[in-house]
């Protein structure tokens, strides 16, 4: 059974840093690109960042570029999201999601999410 | 402001067929397919439709998708109370070099 389990969320002051983790199991981790998607309170989903299956290529949304860094440890079947210079606008539930391999397919598995609250 | 445009809400009665719309641009729907997600309260989002009209394994055939030009739509037939939740369209955007979502449509089953 495919499982994605996020951790690392919490309350952080503006300007602070936080690292989220997503532990994957139940599939061949190195076969899939992985993503972070967030949902801000009362708003919709927003794609945050992605990493290829080997960890050699990444990209992020413009709103987090330069502040957030996605990485992965294929030996641990885990992806990470290092978040720096956090602002209130980054308050959201952060989901990790697995991208299905075929072109045209979407995010076929999601974790339950971890809540990040940026507040003084 | 979401890149893909969805109406904020839609409602229907049990057994009815309803349709969700999603409007994009040439940089996303012009060359890339639409995916649809269901997000029920307290749960993780669930992939409903791949590649404009393909249902992943386990998704009932009550759900169907289509795309024409820069617009996509999701239909739910035989509406059930369990279908209440938020529905999002998504696509890869070539200009932004990233995935974009619609703002979501909240479905209320009366």
């Amino acid at each position: 059974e495919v499982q994605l389990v996020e951790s690392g969320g919490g309350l952080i002051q503006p300007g602070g840093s936080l690292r989220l983790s997503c532990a994957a199991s139940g599939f061949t981790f190195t076969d899939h690109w992985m993503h972070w998607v967030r949902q801000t309170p009362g708003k919709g989903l927003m794609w945050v960042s992605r990493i290829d299956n080997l960890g050699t290529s990444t990209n992020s949304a413009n709103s987090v570029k330069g502040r957030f860094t996605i990485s992965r440890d294929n030996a641990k079947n885990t992806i990470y999201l290092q978040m720096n210079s956090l602002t209130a606008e980054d308050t959201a539930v952060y989901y990790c999601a697995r991208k299905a391999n075929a072109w045209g397919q979407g995010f076929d598995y999601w974790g339950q999410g971890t809540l990040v609250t940026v507040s003084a | 402001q979401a890149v893909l445009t969805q109406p904020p809400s839609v409602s229907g009665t049990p057994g009815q067929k309803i349709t969700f719309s999603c409007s994009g641009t040439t940089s996303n729907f012009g060359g890339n397919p639409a995916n649809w997600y269901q997000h029920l309260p307290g749960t993780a989002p669930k992939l409903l439709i791949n590649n404009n009209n393909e249902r992943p394994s386990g998704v009932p055939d009550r759900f169907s998708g289509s795309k024409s030009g820069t617009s996509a739509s999701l239909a739910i037939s035989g509406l059930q109370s369990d279908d209440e939740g938020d529905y999002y369209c998504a696509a890869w955007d070539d200009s932004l070099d990233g995935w974009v979502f619609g703002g979501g449509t909240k479905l209320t089953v009366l």
Side-chain angles (χ1 to χ4, degrees):
Chain A
E1 178 193 5
V2 173
Q3 284 197 323
L4 299 172
V5 179
E6 302 95 337
S7 60
L11 176 64
I12 187 76
Q13 291 190 337
S17 298
L18 209 56
R19 189 177 84 153
L20 306 183
S21 301
C22 171
S25 60
F27 65 100
T28 302
F29 187 61
T30 51
D31 282 350
H32 289 268
W33 292 36
M34 298 295 293
H35 297 249
W36 288 98
V37 177
R38 72 185 184 187
Q39 182 176 29
T40 50
K43 295 186 179 180
L45 300 173
M46 189 197 95
W47 174 78
V48 174
S49 193
R50 65 93 174 148
I51 187 165
D52 73 350
N53 59 318
L54 299 180
T56 57
S57 174
T58 66
N59 194 20
S60 296
N62 289 336
S63 58
V64 306
K65 201 167 285 188
R67 299 188 300 122
F68 290 13
T69 302
I70 188 172
S71 61
R72 67 192 290 163
D73 185 337
N74 284 344
K76 295 183 178 180
N77 284 6
T78 300
I79 68 166
Y80 305 96
L81 187 67
Q82 177 66 43
M83 305 186 296
N84 299 331
S85 303
L86 285 161
T87 73
E89 287 67 42
D90 297 315
T91 294
V93 175
Y94 285 75
Y95 297 96
C96 74
R98 186 185 88 165
K99 169 70 173 68
N101 278 336
W103 185 87
Q105 294 184 334
F107 306 127
D108 58 353
Y109 286 93
W110 297 63
Q112 287 300 311
T114 187
L115 176 62
V116 173
T117 303
V118 184
S119 174
Chain B
Q1 181 98 6
V3 173
L4 304 178
T5 302
Q6 298 182 253
S9 64
V10 68
S11 62
T13 56
Q16 188 179 1
K17 178 178 181 178
I18 60 164
T19 301
F20 301 81
S21 64
C22 176
S23 178
T25 66
T26 53
S27 67
N28 37 70
F29 284 159
N32 301 298
N35 299 317
W36 288 89
Y37 299 90
Q38 177 192 61
H39 195 189
L40 304 180
T43 69
K46 175 185 176 182
L47 178 63
L48 281 182
I49 296 290
N50 274 320
N51 206 7
N52 299 326
N53 55 21
E54 299 173 354
R55 285 186 309 277
S57 174
V59 174
D61 60 6
R62 301 188 298 113
F63 297 90
S64 62
S66 64
K67 186 167 83 76
S68 177
T70 57
S71 293
S73 63
L74 169 74
I76 307 178
S77 60
L79 198 61
Q80 301 175 359
S81 58
D82 290 350
D83 296 331
E84 270 203 349
D86 298 319
Y87 291 79
Y88 295 89
C89 55
W92 177 261
D93 191 290
D94 295 323
S95 295
L96 296 174
D97 196 26
W99 287 87
V100 292
F101 286 86
T105 298
K106 184 176 183 59
L107 169 64
T108 300
V109 180
L110 302 171

